Amino acid sequence: MNLKKQKKRPRNVKDTFMEYLEEAIKNRKDQYNVVKDEHENFFDSMLPVVRQFSVDQTLAFRAEMINVIQKIKRGTMYPTDQFQQSQYEQFPNYYRFHHGTTQ
């Protein structure tokens, strides 16, 4: 048996760089093949407007978005009982007709 150890050929910069580029292109293609969900599509639809904001407008937008998210998560965005009560007080006939109740 004649087993010779094969010496690994040292990799040159060109080969290494080409492998890197091929991997980067593959990763980029994989990234673009990801299907976006409805939430990503919604936020993407706002980007053209948000990109036109000044720095101050951008900061205000972000702060308000965070506030809204926190209120929704806490369940305080629309205090349901108070909202329904105020609607009933303002429009009692409409509320009775459409909701079939008299509070």
Side-chain angles (χ1 to χ4, degrees):
M1 248 169 133
N2 192 2
L3 293 176
K4 291 184 180 178
K5 283 189 177 179
Q6 291 184 359
K7 290 184 180 179
K8 280 193 173 181
R9 192 178 79 173
R11 297 174 60 182
N12 64 32
V13 174
K14 181 181 175 186
D15 291 340
T16 304
F17 184 68
M18 290 306 292
E19 286 176 17
Y20 169 79
L21 284 179
E22 288 169 3
E23 186 66 25
I25 290 168
K26 179 186 174 291
N27 289 340
R28 186 169 212 137
K29 284 181 182 176
D30 291 345
Q31 195 176 30
Y32 284 110
N33 289 333
V34 174
V35 177
K36 291 185 177 186
D37 67 15
E38 64 181 292
H39 303 298
E40 288 176 294
N41 288 332
F42 170 73
F43 286 108
D44 284 349
S45 72
M46 290 191 294
L47 285 175
V49 175
V50 174
R51 286 185 175 134
Q52 294 176 358
F53 287 170
S54 68
V55 172
D56 289 340
Q57 290 171 323
T58 300
L59 292 172
F61 173 77
R62 290 178 181 180
E64 286 301 315
M65 289 299 298
I66 291 168
N67 285 332
V68 168
I69 290 169
Q70 288 175 334
K71 287 178 182 179
I72 290 171
K73 287 187 69 119
R74 283 192 310 257
T76 59
M77 185 68 184
Y78 299 108
T80 309
D81 295 337
Q82 292 174 351
F83 178 75
Q84 288 179 348
Q85 183 63 34
S86 69
Q87 293 300 306
Y88 176 74
E89 290 168 359
Q90 290 177 10
F91 310 103
N93 293 332
Y94 176 85
Y95 199 88
R96 269 188 240 117
F97 178 77
H98 288 285
H99 298 280
T101 183
T102 56
Q103 292 271 344

